[in-house]
Amino acid sequence: AQTVTQSQPEMSVQEAETVTLSCTYDTSESDYYLFWYKQPPSRQMILVIRQEAYKQQNATENRFSVNFQKAAKSFSLKISDSQLGDAAMYFCASEIQGGSEKLVFGKGMKLTVNP
Amino acid sequence: DVKVTQSSRYLVKRTGEKVFLECVQDMDHENMFWYRQDPGLGLRLIYFSYDVKMKEKGDIPEGYSVSREKKERFSLILESASTNQTSMYLCASSLTTDAYGYTFGSGTRLTVV
């Protein structure tokens, strides 16, 4: 069974600074996908970034990048130049390729951005 | 853009009522999912469906049922609402072939009194 662990329930960052959100996962599969989702207050959950496990290169989307350490089963999200609009709940998730299409989510982490 | 629409944003129901939560997606996705979200517990899968009339239990199906009569619509049913079913309910859909995760609806915050 897959599990996803987000060990920090809350973090805060100053505007314009960089913050790293941690995530570890456990799977016996070799092919899988990893995701970070963002849920702003009272708003829809949206995909921030995805990583394919067979790709060694870390995914990047503008100010968002990941540090994917496959051997350590670690998948952290780095947010550079933090903005007030980055304040949200962040969820890490994994999906087995060719599996049941189900995502397994971590418990989430609340990010506060201080002006 | 894919849209997943949940019919109600906020809902208040009485204990014992039968409650229907509706979800519609407009991009021909095969897969649809119902999660509940509670503080400190993250997202927990209730039921999911890979195709019309097909359904499978998730991690916490007790007290819930689902219906998928048409590809675009996936309904969650609380047979007899209880106060411990007060929660945020999230619907999501995905395409089997693209591995880009889910598209979520805006959520329904259900309060059972």
Side-chain angles (χ1 to χ4, degrees):
Chain A
Q2 288 178 284
T3 59
V4 176
T5 302
Q6 294 177 253
S7 56
Q8 300 156 299
E10 290 192 46
M11 291 186 75
S12 63
V13 63
Q14 291 296 125
E15 200 175 1
E17 296 293 308
T18 295
V19 64
T20 299
L21 286 59
S22 63
C23 173
T24 58
Y25 62 93
D26 191 14
T27 180
S28 57
E29 302 292 330
S30 57
D31 283 334
Y32 51 90
Y33 297 89
L34 299 166
F35 305 85
W36 278 99
Y37 281 87
K38 170 185 176 182
Q39 186 181 40
S42 300
R43 292 185 62 187
Q44 195 168 355
M45 191 162 325
I46 57 173
L47 179 65
V48 175
I49 199 164
R50 72 187 275 272
Q51 174 79 41
E52 297 168 48
Y54 66 89
K55 287 189 177 178
Q56 298 206 348
Q57 186 174 6
N58 289 323
T60 299
E61 290 287 342
N62 301 314
R63 297 182 296 108
F64 298 88
S65 62
V66 300
N67 182 6
F68 174 47
Q69 302 287 332
K70 191 170 184 179
K73 295 183 179 175
S74 170
F75 181 61
S76 59
L77 175 69
K78 185 172 83 171
I79 305 175
S80 303
D81 185 26
S82 297
Q83 300 176 0
L84 295 178
D86 295 332
M89 286 290 296
Y90 286 83
F91 292 91
C92 180
S94 69
E95 177 185 358
I96 298 172
Q97 184 182 18
S100 60
E101 317 302 333
K102 291 186 296 180
L103 292 186
V104 175
F105 289 87
K107 293 186 177 180
M109 194 225 67
K110 181 180 179 181
L111 179 67
T112 301
V113 181
N114 300 310
Chain B
D1 280 355
V2 177
K3 239 186 181 172
V4 177
T5 303
Q6 295 184 231
S7 55
S8 303
R9 193 69 190 268
Y10 299 95
L11 214 50
V12 180
K13 295 292 181 180
R14 294 197 179 275
T15 300
E17 276 194 74
K18 191 169 186 175
V19 181
F20 293 85
L21 302 183
E22 305 288 346
C23 176
V24 177
Q25 50 93 5
D26 65 0
M27 282 297 289
D28 206 33
H29 282 183
E30 299 97 342
N31 310 312
M32 297 189 75
F33 307 84
W34 276 106
Y35 284 84
R36 65 176 281 177
Q37 181 181 4
D38 300 289
L41 296 178
L43 277 70
R44 293 180 291 167
L45 182 63
I46 306 172
Y47 268 96
F48 60 103
S49 170
Y50 295 136
D51 202 350
V52 176
K53 296 192 185 296
M54 294 187 69
K55 59 186 179 185
E56 291 199 31
K57 293 180 180 179
D59 300 318
I60 52 163
E62 296 78 18
Y64 304 93
S65 62
V66 290
S67 172
R68 193 165 182 202
E69 296 295 319
K70 293 185 178 181
K71 191 173 186 178
E72 66 269 19
R73 185 179 296 270
F74 192 37
S75 303
L76 179 69
I77 304 156
L78 285 66
E79 298 291 344
S80 177
S82 64
T83 54
N84 62 12
Q85 293 178 309
T86 291
S87 186
M88 170 70 84
Y89 290 87
L90 297 178
C91 176
S93 71
S94 72
L95 199 57
T96 300
T97 54
D98 74 0
Y100 272 87
Y102 296 168
T103 300
F104 282 89
S106 298
T108 296
R109 186 166 293 282
L110 172 68
T111 302
V112 182
V113 297

